[in-house]
């Protein structure tokens, strides 16, 4: 890729950064702060769902706080003595992204247990367990993103932050782990839990309005996950092929360089997509106990009739 200049792509992505990041910051910051106020202050009592949603809002805020630095880095080279600070920001960026992914998956698992296994839910679902899971997510993503500190190219002089990872950062082992454990496995779990939850809701004896409301919540969660993160991880895989010499055509390299920048920008929009889902999740939080009681009642009725 050394003989293929992507200067024109860099110029275009600088414009795209402003077009996308500015609205994301303008809408994302107040929406996520408002979500934290609602879940932490206005709701009278926390539930498992509200704990997970609070964690998701914190992850989104952490990602939003990196965007001004990304915009600055897109237009200015940083001095050599800021490499450690740059690696710190890059690490926080990926902590936020993959922390959001795992939190969304945990929300889907929690919902699946509540809807499909009401008896087991009474033992498994609790505010304490939700807090433990959220804490584990933070520790896990911080530990797994720590190698980023060694991915910065050891060249002297000014550099471009959030760009220019060394070949070590694009090694096969790193990318396979990123794609499998960072996206494919969470996606499989999310889709499987969502499908089972939708089937159970549609088969329940609840009113059509309640069924439709529950199904809409699940579909909105799926969209908030798949729309931002799928293009991003496809682009990462394509860039891996470029960085390791599998794609050598300069035109293709330029297209992929543009695609990965656009895909990452789309992934950052998840901060706003999550915030748009908070309204529906808040309704779910208020109705959690009622839904649980209805599920328990349905199971008891079935058990009695079988007896």
């Amino acid at each position: 890729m050394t003989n293929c200049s992507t200067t024109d792509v860099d110029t275009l992505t600088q414009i795209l950064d402003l077009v996308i990041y500015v609205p994301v910051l303008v809408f994302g910051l107040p929406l996520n702060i408002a979500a934290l106020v609602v879940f932490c202050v206005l709701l009278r009592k926390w539930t498992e769902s509200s704990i997970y949603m609070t964690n998701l809002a914190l992850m989104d805020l952490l990602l939003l706080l990196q965007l001004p630095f990304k915009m600055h880095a897109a237009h200015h080279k940083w001095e050599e003595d800021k490499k450690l600070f740059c690696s710190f920001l890059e690490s926080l960026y990926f902590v936020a992204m993959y922390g959001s992914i795992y939190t969304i998956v945990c929300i889907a698992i929690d919902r699946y247990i509540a809807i499909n296994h009401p008896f087991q839910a009474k033992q498994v679902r609790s505010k304490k367990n939700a807090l433990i899971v959220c804490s584990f997510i933070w520790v896990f993503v911080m530990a797994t993103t720590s190698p980023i500190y060694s991915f910065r190219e050891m060249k002297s002089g000014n550099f471009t932050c959030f760009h220019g990872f060394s070949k070590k950062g694009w090694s096969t082992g790193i990318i396979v782990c990123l794609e499998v454990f960072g996206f494919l496995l969470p996606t499989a779990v999310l889709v499987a839990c969502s499908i089972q939850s939708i089937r159970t809701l549609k088969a329940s004896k609840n009113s059509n309005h309640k069924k439709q409301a529950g199904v809409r919540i699940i579909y909105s969660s799926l969209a908030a996950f798949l729309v931002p993160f799928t293009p991003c991880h496809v682009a990462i895989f394509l860039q891996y092929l470029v960085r390791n010499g599998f794609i050598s055509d300069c035109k293709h390299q330029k297209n992929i360089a543009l695609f990965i920048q656009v895909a990452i920008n789309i992934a950052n929009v998840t901060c706003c997509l999550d915030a748009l889902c908070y309204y529906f999740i808040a309704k779910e939080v208020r109705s959690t106990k009622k839904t649980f009681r209805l599920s328990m009642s349905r199971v008891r009725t079935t058990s009695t009739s079988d007896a």
Side-chain angles (χ1 to χ4, degrees):
M1 196 172 173
T2 54
N3 297 325
C4 185
S5 174
T6 58
T7 304
D8 51 342
V9 174
D10 294 338
T11 302
L12 180 58
T13 55
Q14 288 175 359
I15 300 173
L16 288 174
D17 286 347
L18 292 175
V19 171
I20 294 176
Y21 288 164
V22 171
V24 167
L25 281 169
V26 169
F27 292 103
L29 281 174
L31 285 172
N32 282 279
I33 292 173
L36 287 175
V37 172
V38 170
F39 286 114
C40 299
V41 179
L42 299 183
L43 288 181
R44 294 181 180 180
K45 190 175 182 180
W46 274 27
T47 67
E48 296 80 9
S49 296
S50 63
I51 291 172
Y52 287 123
M53 292 307 299
T54 299
N55 195 63
L56 183 58
L58 288 172
M59 292 290 185
D60 287 342
L61 275 176
L62 180 61
L63 191 146
L64 284 166
L65 293 176
Q66 310 311 309
L67 298 188
F69 295 103
K70 282 180 64 65
M71 286 190 289
H72 182 274
H75 294 82
H76 304 87
K77 286 187 176 294
W78 290 16
E79 296 177 358
E80 186 177 359
D81 59 357
K82 291 184 174 61
K83 283 188 176 181
L84 182 60
F85 179 61
C86 172
S87 295
F88 173 70
L89 293 175
E90 291 168 340
S91 176
L92 290 183
Y93 180 81
F94 287 104
V95 165
M97 177 180 290
Y98 290 99
S100 296
I101 287 175
Y102 277 102
T103 303
I104 292 172
V105 171
C106 287
I107 291 171
I109 295 173
D110 181 71
R111 184 186 293 116
Y112 165 79
I113 294 172
I115 293 174
N116 293 271
H117 303 284
F119 278 126
Q120 290 87 339
K122 194 173 182 180
Q123 286 77 38
V124 176
R125 297 180 77 238
S126 69
K127 293 186 287 291
K128 179 181 178 181
N129 288 342
L131 287 170
I132 291 173
V133 170
C134 290
S135 299
F136 176 78
I137 290 173
W138 280 94
V139 173
F140 177 74
V141 294
M142 290 179 71
T144 53
T145 56
S146 59
I148 288 177
Y149 287 91
S150 63
F151 291 169
R152 177 60 48 192
E153 291 183 339
M154 301 306 294
K155 294 180 180 179
S156 58
N158 295 347
F159 67 100
T160 303
C161 191
F162 292 99
H163 294 277
F165 282 166
S166 65
K167 193 169 183 179
K168 180 180 178 181
W170 293 100
S171 64
T172 301
I174 293 292
I175 299 303
V176 167
C177 290
L178 183 72
E179 295 285 349
V180 173
F181 297 104
F183 180 68
L184 294 177
L185 185 59
T187 300
V189 174
L190 176 68
V191 171
C193 289
S194 299
I195 291 173
Q196 291 298 320
S197 297
I198 289 172
R199 286 178 178 175
T200 302
L201 285 173
K202 289 184 175 180
S204 68
K205 297 180 180 180
N206 293 336
S207 66
N208 287 331
H209 176 72
K210 291 180 179 178
K211 290 181 185 180
Q212 292 173 1
V215 170
R216 280 198 300 268
I217 290 170
I218 296 173
Y219 279 135
S220 64
S221 298
L222 273 174
F225 182 92
L226 294 176
V227 171
F229 295 125
T230 302
C232 176
H233 287 85
V234 172
I236 288 173
F237 175 71
L238 292 175
Q239 185 69 357
Y240 158 78
L241 296 178
V242 170
R243 293 297 295 266
N244 286 274
F246 295 103
I247 297 177
S248 57
D249 183 77
C250 186
K251 182 179 179 181
H252 291 159
Q253 289 182 4
K254 287 184 177 181
N255 290 336
I256 291 171
L258 178 60
F259 177 47
I260 193 171
Q261 294 301 320
V262 173
I264 290 175
N265 286 347
I266 293 173
N268 294 330
V269 178
T270 186
C271 300
C272 292
L273 291 179
D274 290 339
L276 293 176
C277 294
Y278 292 153
Y279 170 74
F280 300 105
I281 301 297
K283 290 175 65 176
E284 182 189 20
V285 169
R286 290 194 296 268
S287 62
T288 297
K289 290 186 177 181
K290 186 175 181 180
T291 302
F292 179 75
R293 287 196 298 268
L294 288 173
S295 299
M296 292 293 290
S297 177
R298 175 168 56 83
V299 172
R300 290 194 187 100
T301 302
T302 304
S303 301
T304 304
S305 61
D306 292 340

